[in-house]
Amino acid sequence: MAILAAGAITDPSIDRFWLKSYPPGVPAEIDPSSYASLVDLIDQSIGRNRDRAAFSCMGQTLGYAEFDRMAQSLAAWLQARGLKPGARVAIMMPNVLQYPVAMLAILRAGCVVVNVNPLYTARELEHQLVDAGAEAVIILENFCHVLAEVLERTPVRHVVVASLGELLGLKGTLVNFVVRHVKKMVPAWHLPQARRFADVLAEGARLTLTPVALRADDLAFLQYTGGTTGVSKGAALSHRNLIANTLQTEAWSRPGLERPPAIENGVMVCALPLYHIYALTACFLFGVQTNAMVLLIVNPRDVKAVLKDLSKVRFTVFPAVNTLYNAILHHADFGTVDWSSLRVANAGGMAVQQSVAERWFAATGCPIIEGYGLSETSPVATCNPSDATSFSGTVGLPLPSTDVAIRDDAGVDVPLGERGEICVRGPQVMTGYWNRPDETARVMSADGYFKTGDIGIMNAAGYVKIVDRKKDMILVSGFNVYPNEVEDVVAMHPGVLEVAAVGVPDEYSGEVVKIFVVRKDPSLTAEALIAFCRGQLTGYKTPRHVEFRHDLPKSNVGKILRRELRDAKPV
């Protein structure tokens, strides 16, 4: 497992004073050239672990050898369909066994993974498939009705449909019956060209995959994010970006993982959705790189079911968000789980509350290690030491091979302890936004730093604290919501004259969306407006609060002042 750099890959002129705060054994640099591609990284893990379990879901285990075989078959099928290296293939599934198989298969075929939130509305899905130029999609049947609405308006030519039960062994038939006919979780759909996942694997097993010579700078993933303006765009992540962040995460987590007593075979809990960049790196890639079995949680909102799954295994790594940690702590079944093997509990996506962190440490003996990152940084840029035992209230130190600068609006570094925009440079920073050079130019400095849009301070030890946001992004349970998108949808309602969307504090989600509306139709109700939004926006983007006003505050050039609304008391 190569994590030490052959040579420095960061700027030697930078004073990385934060290295003095690193835990013993954590290197200053990592070497992403240790692997030719992500496929190389995963294949080496498969070679080390052929006789071990790779993934577990709903009581069914998929071994590394079977994972390898299935991904090879699917990759060969994709090639046989005429998909060339660089073609974009979307995955629209929750955490099921087909997800990692599809991910590796797409990469092995030389194609690019486009991760899609399976809860997207037709409008959101159409935009992403069109923008990415996706030629194929691998989708769980539960969401096919949404794809059917928009397929003809997208470039998608191949559809592979998975079912929840098809890789679950003997009980799979029963699972599918219950999901389809008892719980009625599969709305009717019609996609004449669709092929079943299991049939595709069988057909692919009779084909031969032509190996693709992948390079580290080749595109591997398009992770869609709002970027700076709120228009959903793909952060273009190369193989090198993801290799680097996997090795950075591994190096950073090593002190926590090696906390005695030693545990030989690790288990990574994946209760975060794999379509999110946090889970992609911190669960899937990190788990595979450290020879762990990855426990896939299909529905983390069902906390009782999560705890039931956790009670059956001795797990070592548990990445989550503050809301899930808090929900688990307060659940009556918390005591049914053996927490003694837990070595690393990572947190990101949203701020960790001190009360949650302290209670978690007292209850499990394992600290919550808060970090910070974005889709554009693959995602981790900073993190607290994995052997910490107290809550710092910060998002930690820059990772190995990572530079963090705090800068003013002119791009000049501010003194330690002063506010400025957090800027990140390192091998994990994206190559740019997909087909949007103008947007890329807005966020990349001349000296290679990515301008995050978050406002922070760095102390004398190198720890970074986030204090505000430069942009108006709303953060709901770790998911980015951009006011422009919400406002565009609300403005489509014929009863709306003007609208502004902001984030307001929420005890469970960190923030939720609130809209301020000037009515064109005096009879328009908040309930009707929220119902309208539900048809256009996925759940976490849908407004939770509506406040009607006679007018909205504006600047002298007519721009609505969201910050003034955010800070105002309800009227």
Side-chain angles (χ1 to χ4, degrees), residues 320-327 347-348 350-354 356-357 507-508:
V321 293
N322 182 81
T323 48
L324 182 56
Y325 283 123
N326 192 39
M350 62 186 296
V352 174
Q353 296 168 332
Q354 183 170 353
V356 173
E507 185 177 355
Y508 180 76

Side-chain angles (χ1 to χ4, degrees), residues 434-458:
W434 174 250
N435 287 339
R436 295 181 188 267
D438 54 335
E439 287 293 322
T440 302
R442 285 192 184 98
V443 298
M444 297 303 300
S445 69
D447 54 350
Y449 281 86
F450 169 67
K451 296 181 277 190
T452 68
D454 290 312
I455 305 300
I457 58 175
M458 179 182 280

Side-chain angles (χ1 to χ4, degrees), residues 170-188:
L170 294 176
K171 71 175 182 179
T173 302
L174 176 60
V175 168
N176 279 341
F177 179 82
V178 171
V179 167
R180 292 167 181 167
H181 305 293
V182 179
K183 295 188 176 181
K184 301 189 184 302
M185 296 171 64
V186 184

Side-chain angles (χ1 to χ4, degrees), residues 179-450:
V179 167
R180 292 167 181 167
H181 305 293
V182 179
K183 295 188 176 181
K184 301 189 184 302
M185 296 171 64
V186 184
W189 54 274
H190 181 64
L191 294 167
Q193 73 276 60
R195 300 289 305 279
R196 286 286 176 180
F197 192 89
D199 295 339
V200 164
L201 289 185
E203 186 176 331
R206 300 189 292 270
L207 301 172
T208 300
L209 175 68
T210 302
V212 177
L214 292 166
R215 298 169 301 175
D217 291 333
D218 286 340
L219 186 61
F221 288 85
L222 287 182
Q223 284 294 134
Y224 273 75
T225 178
T228 54
T229 64
V231 178
S232 183
K233 57 185 71 69
L237 303 178
S238 68
H239 286 260
R240 173 183 167 88
N241 290 152
L242 273 300
I243 291 168
N245 209 230
T246 301
L247 298 185
Q248 289 166 324
T249 304
E250 179 193 16
W252 195 256
S253 301
R254 188 60 53 193
L257 290 173
E258 294 178 346
R259 192 160 48 88
I263 297 175
E264 186 176 348
N265 295 326
V267 173
M268 164 73 71
V269 179
C270 185
L272 301 163
L274 280 169
Y275 60 80
H276 194 281
I277 187 64
Y278 184 10
L280 171 61
T281 300
C283 295
F284 174 71
L285 293 173
F286 178 40
V288 168
Q289 173 66 6
T290 55
N291 312 310
M293 182 190 80
V294 181
L295 174 63
L296 297 172
I297 305 294
V298 180
N299 179 19
R301 290 180 177 272
D302 186 348
V303 180
K304 185 178 181 66
V306 171
L307 289 169
K308 184 177 180 181
D309 282 342
L310 296 184
S311 69
K312 297 175 182 177
V313 295
R314 297 189 67 196
F315 52 94
T316 47
V317 184
F318 185 24
V321 293
N322 182 81
T323 48
L324 182 56
Y325 283 123
N326 192 39
I328 287 174
L329 281 168
H330 285 88
H331 199 278
D333 293 343
F334 179 84
T336 64
V337 176
D338 178 2
W339 303 94
S340 63
S341 297
L342 184 59
R343 293 293 180 268
V344 175
N346 292 321
M350 62 186 296
V352 174
Q353 296 168 332
Q354 183 170 353
S355 59
V356 173
E358 291 176 349
R359 185 176 178 188
W360 181 270
F361 184 56
T364 67
C366 181
I368 293 178
I369 304 303
E370 186 173 8
Y372 166 73
L374 309 94
S375 295
E376 292 91 339
T377 58
S378 302
V380 192
T382 69
C383 195
N384 279 278
S386 64
D387 59 355
T389 56
S390 61
F391 179 76
S392 73
T394 76
V395 292
L397 304 161
L399 292 192
S401 297
T402 304
D403 294 326
V404 171
I406 311 296
R407 293 179 165 176
D408 61 21
D409 289 342
V412 177
D413 290 9
V414 301
L416 288 176
E418 291 193 9
R419 295 164 55 107
E421 184 173 9
I422 301 170
C423 301
V424 180
R425 181 172 65 179
Q428 72 271 49
V429 173
M430 67 172 183
T431 62
Y433 290 121
W434 174 250
N435 287 339
R436 295 181 188 267
D438 54 335
E439 287 293 322
T440 302
R442 285 192 184 98
V443 298
M444 297 303 300
S445 69
D447 54 350
Y449 281 86
F450 169 67

